[in-house]
Amino acid sequence: QVQLVESGGGLVQPGGSLRLSCAASGSIFSMNAMGWYRQAPGKQRELVAAITSGGSTNYADSVKGRFTISRDNAKNTVYLQMNSLKPEDTAVYYCNAGFWYSGSYYPYDYWGQGTQVTVSS
């Protein structure tokens, strides 16, 4: 059974920071790339950041320089450090397991339950 459990969301003021965590079952984590997606009300789910099993990363243009994805293979956990948060970052953030091909990330149908991030004054 594949399990992805996100945590760390909340309410933060513009310019603030949050760190999201996603704990994954070992069988899926060790061999796969991992990604963070987000979905705002009325919008499609979008890829925010992804990381290969070896640690290579890529980011959506909207978060480059503000967000950092990382992984701790010993803890089967992937993180998303979010700095300089903006109101437009408000969304439900989802953890995903997938694969990397030709420089791009592709999701498997393994998703966490999501964690709400709200950026508001």
Side-chain angles (χ1 to χ4, degrees):
Q1 183 75 14
V2 174
Q3 284 192 319
L4 300 170
V5 181
E6 302 100 335
S7 61
L11 173 64
V12 63
Q13 292 186 342
S17 298
L18 282 174
R19 189 176 81 154
L20 307 183
S21 299
C22 172
S25 52
S27 61
I28 193 68
F29 187 86
S30 62
M31 297 179 62
N32 285 282
M34 300 293 295
W36 283 98
Y37 284 74
R38 67 186 180 187
Q39 187 167 21
K43 294 188 177 182
Q44 287 190 329
R45 192 172 295 189
E46 62 173 349
L47 178 64
V48 174
I51 187 167
T52 68
S53 57
S56 297
T57 60
N58 71 7
Y59 299 91
D61 287 343
S62 59
V63 306
K64 280 180 182 176
R66 300 189 298 122
F67 290 11
T68 302
I69 188 171
S70 61
R71 63 192 293 160
D72 185 334
N73 291 334
K75 295 182 178 179
N76 293 339
T77 301
V78 61
Y79 304 98
L80 186 68
Q81 177 67 44
M82 305 185 295
N83 298 329
S84 302
L85 282 161
K86 304 176 181 180
E88 52 263 43
D89 295 318
T90 295
V92 178
Y93 284 70
Y94 296 92
C95 179
N96 172 262
F99 65 98
W100 204 274
Y101 179 75
S102 195
S104 296
Y105 179 83
Y106 296 87
Y108 291 127
D109 195 21
Y110 299 137
W111 299 92
Q113 81 287 355
T115 186
Q116 176 71 47
V117 172
T118 302
V119 184
S120 175
S121 55

